[in-house]
Each structure stands twice: as C-alpha cells, then as structure tokens.
Amino acid sequence: MTAAPGVAGFGTTSITVLRTARDSAWMRPQMVFGYVIVAFWLVLVVGVQWIAPFDPLASVGQRLSPPSAAHWFGTDALGRDVLSRALHGARYSLPIALVSIVASVVVGSVLGAVAGYVGGIVDAIIMRIADITMSFPAILLAMAVAAALGPGLNNAGIAIIIVWWPIYARLMRGQVLSIKEREHVESAVAIGASRSRILFRHIIPHASTPTLVNATMDLGQIVLLVASLSFLGLGALPPTPEWGAMITEGAKNFYQPWIAAAPGLAIVSIVLAINFIGDGLRDALDVKARR
C-alpha cells in the first residue's frame, strides 16, 4: 500500500525544511560575523609578532600623540603604539579566559554529575558549597580571591575558576537527575555496568549540550571579568599589554581617549562575536527551536 502523493510530498517537504533549518542555523549572518571576528583574534594570538606594526613595550613616538597615519590609535604616556599593544593584548586576555572557562566547565561538570548521580550526603555537600559560592556577586568574590592570592593573570584565572564552577555544577546536576531515569541508563544498570561507566559513558555525554552552549555564552563574560580584574590592578601587571590594564592607563589620561579606545573596541568585538556564536549554537542544537 503506497502513501498518497500529497502525504508523501508533505513528509518530504517537512524533512527538507528541518534539514534546511538545521544547516542554516550555523550560517546565519550573526554566526558568520562571529566566526570572522573570532578567527581574526585567534590568528593574532598565534602570529601577532608578525602582524603588529611595533613592539608593544618599545617607545616608538611622541608621548600622548593623537591618532595619525603612523600610529592609528596614537601613543600612550610612554610613547608606545596603542594599536600594537591592543593587538598583543589578545595573547594575554583570550588564553586566560579560555583556560578559565574550560577548567570551570570540567570541574563543575564532574562535581555536578557526581552529586546528581550519587545523591545523599555527597550531593548535599557539593551543592551547599556551590550555593555558598554563588551567594556572592561574581566580581566581588573574584576580587577577594585575586587579592588574597596576589596580582597576576594566573591568580586571576584561579579566582575566576573558583567563582564560575558552581554554575556548571548546578547545570550538570539537573541534567543528570533527568537523564539517569531514562531507559538506556536503566538498561546499563540491569546488565551490571559499573557506576563510573554509567556516569561517564551513558549520562554525561547526553548532558553535555546545555553545558557546551552555556560555556560558549559565558566565555564573553569571562573575557570581561579578566579585563575587570586587570583594570582594578588584580590581573596583569605593567608593562603587560593586557586590555583591562590598558583601559586603566586610559582612565589616567582622561583627555587622551584613544589610549582606552583600542582595547575597548577589542573587548567589544570579541565579546559580541562570542555571544553571536553562542546564540546561534543554542538554536542549532535545540531540537525545539529547529522545529
């Protein structure tokens, strides 16, 4: 018995629409913009020494000279080229932000998965620690930890990990509580699979999509948090050309706005691009959104 042409056509059309929606979600204009900007900054992280016009630590012009053909964003109080320093800043701000978010995701996801799967006193202890950590404003707690550890980008990264892991612990715990009741997990339990195998083979992979999307969206906030700590003197130390530290220099020279303009534009561009990619990634991986 064959299906009616209209029904078959409708089914084929529906599949085509779903596939088109899935594929186009990765190539929306916002996503393409995000790809281009992120790729640009990643290229700078790898090869900025060949791209930047000047040495970021060398005095190459008059002090506090305004933007010109030789120095597109002018020079700072020591005669250093602001554009070159902003480009080199990607080597400091982006890697520490990426390492911080990856470490936060790994630590938080593992603890959250263990809490959700084991339950009982283990769940209570991990979640109470997470609740206590999340009860403080992120920037204030990061400032306190960074101040206790001492200024420096590495210590700023540790402070961010301490602040950010509870987000992923709670997210993963909720996913695990939902997934561990599914049939494939119950089947694994029935055949005698170990608890660690069930957790890391049958539960965590199915709970990773929301974590991946959330981490992508949070990466932009981490970039801002790294810059904020450096702006407050708790991150990169002079003469490191880090974006937050450069904005601090710009604040000291209020009537030379070009000093803060280059790092400010750099932060805006990378955060905006990451948010575009995260938003598109959420739509691409969300089955309900595709429908």
Side-chain angles (χ1 to χ4, degrees):
M1 183 176 180
T2 58
V7 175
F10 176 79
T12 303
T13 302
S14 300
I15 294 173
T16 302
V17 169
L18 286 174
R19 289 176 177 173
T20 302
R22 177 193 63 192
D23 296 338
S24 62
W26 297 95
M27 295 305 295
R28 292 177 180 176
Q30 297 93 330
M31 289 281 281
V32 174
F33 172 81
Y35 297 150
V36 171
I37 298 301
V38 170
F40 168 77
W41 286 111
L42 290 179
V43 168
L44 282 176
V45 169
V46 175
V48 67
Q49 65 270 26
W50 298 293
I51 299 173
F54 299 100
D55 186 332
L57 303 180
S59 179
V60 293
Q62 296 289 332
R63 294 177 61 255
L64 301 176
S65 63
S68 62
H71 305 285
W72 290 4
F73 280 88
T75 60
D76 62 10
L78 297 178
R80 299 171 296 192
D81 183 66
V82 174
L83 176 61
S84 297
R85 288 178 60 78
L87 296 179
H88 276 270
R91 275 198 163 180
Y92 298 92
S93 297
L94 297 185
I96 195 66
L98 186 59
V99 170
S100 298
I101 193 66
V102 170
S104 299
V105 169
V106 172
V107 173
S109 296
V110 171
L111 291 177
V114 171
Y117 186 69
V118 176
I121 187 65
V122 174
D123 182 21
I125 292 174
I126 294 176
M127 286 300 102
R128 294 300 76 75
I129 295 174
D131 290 342
I132 292 172
T133 304
M134 295 182 68
S135 66
F136 296 94
I139 182 63
L140 293 182
L141 182 57
M143 288 170 55
V145 175
L149 296 176
L153 279 177
N154 291 336
N155 291 339
I158 295 173
I160 292 171
I161 295 169
I162 292 174
V163 169
W164 228 261
W165 73 266
I167 297 173
Y168 297 96
R170 295 188 65 85
L171 178 61
M172 181 59 73
R173 176 180 178 272
Q175 292 293 312
V176 169
L177 289 175
S178 174
I179 294 172
K180 74 177 185 178
E181 303 297 334
R182 295 182 182 176
E183 294 180 356
H184 73 280
V185 177
E186 294 179 353
S187 299
V189 174
I191 64 175
S194 64
R195 301 183 74 177
S196 61
R197 180 179 177 83
I198 293 172
L199 180 60
F200 291 99
R201 183 72 179 271
H202 300 284
I203 296 180
I204 290 181
H206 293 273
S208 60
T209 297
T211 301
L212 175 62
V213 173
N214 200 74
T216 305
M217 300 292 288
D218 281 352
L219 181 57
Q221 298 185 51
I222 297 297
V223 172
L224 285 173
L225 187 53
V226 171
S228 299
L229 292 176
S230 295
F231 178 81
L232 296 171
L234 298 172
L237 297 174
T240 304
E242 195 275 335
W243 291 336
M246 290 182 64
I247 294 177
T248 301
E249 297 176 13
K252 296 177 181 178
N253 297 276
F254 184 78
Y255 294 102
Q256 290 78 32
W258 58 83
I259 297 176
L265 290 174
I267 293 173
V268 169
S269 67
I270 189 64
V271 171
L272 191 62
I274 291 171
N275 286 341
F276 281 154
I277 293 175
D279 189 51
L281 185 64
R282 179 195 60 195
D283 293 341
L285 298 178
D286 188 352
V287 177
K288 293 182 180 179
R290 290 206 302 267
R291 291 176 180 173

